[in-house]
Amino acid sequence: DGGITQSPKYLFRKEGQNVTLSCEQNLNHDAMYWYRQDPGQGLRLIYYSQIVNDFQKGDIAEGYSVSREKKESFPLTVTSAQKNPTAFYLCASRIPGPNTEAFFGQGTRLTVV
Amino acid sequence: AQTVTQSQPEMSVQEAETVTLSCTYDTSESDYYLFWYKQPPSRQMILVIRQEAYKQQNATENRFSVNFQKAAKSFSLKISDSQLGDAAMYFCAYRSSTNAGKSTFGDGTTLTVKP
């Protein structure tokens, strides 16, 4: 079945450590996205990529980094520079275009301990 | 920058009844797309319905329909014959036609369905 997979589902990180969240899709979508979701808030865009080897900062990119070396994969690294990394992270993919449906992963809950 | 506002943090509806979730947005563009996404307790978001701004006819998907008022910049979601499985968080989203790489989401409305 085609879909988008995020792993792990739960992740714990010690303060000062970098951690990488995985996002893989087999939908053959060119565009991929990372969002952060906090309680009572909507989805805020961290980074997005519309084609392999290219990506753009979203609205809250500080403290995060990404790579897009393969079409299927768009990993997100939460660095120690991110001041408040505890949150729920959602990855999405879609065909580029204004009216296309975004497909989402099941998310990763990151907790800093 | 575009903004999307969902003024109802929480709503509840009796099973089999109808409920309307509100969404307003701010934009200076004339061509854009609007979406409603559902996030159930599993937290995996799925598309409920979409609307093209250039279409006057309101979109409908089975029990889900929208009331799109372009002049008022309003895009409400109506759920008819509510079912227990409709309980979820609902997000309204805006996407520009000229800058289609990004979407702007509202803060969401949590819908409770009472049996």
Side-chain angles (χ1 to χ4, degrees), chain A residues 49-70:
Chain A
S49 168
Q50 298 197 77
I51 198 166
V52 174
N53 292 322
D54 188 42
F55 50 82
Q56 289 78 40
K57 292 182 179 180
D59 301 317
I60 56 165
E62 185 176 354
Y64 300 97
S65 66
V66 293
S67 63
R68 187 81 188 279
E69 297 176 0
K70 298 187 298 181

Side-chain angles (χ1 to χ4, degrees), chain A residues 2-59:
Chain A
I4 181 164
T5 302
Q6 290 185 242
S7 61
K9 191 172 183 178
Y10 299 97
L11 190 57
F12 296 88
R13 190 197 89 175
K14 292 183 178 179
E15 284 193 24
Q17 288 182 339
N18 293 354
V19 65
T20 297
L21 283 59
S22 171
C23 179
E24 303 276 334
Q25 54 98 0
N26 61 2
L27 299 167
N28 200 32
H29 289 167
D30 283 309
M32 296 188 74
Y33 301 81
W34 274 107
Y35 294 95
R36 171 178 171 143
Q37 187 176 16
D38 293 288
Q41 296 189 38
L43 277 63
R44 292 186 289 167
L45 182 63
I46 304 172
Y47 269 97
Y48 65 106
S49 168
Q50 298 197 77
I51 198 166
V52 174
N53 292 322
D54 188 42
F55 50 82
Q56 289 78 40
K57 292 182 179 180
D59 301 317

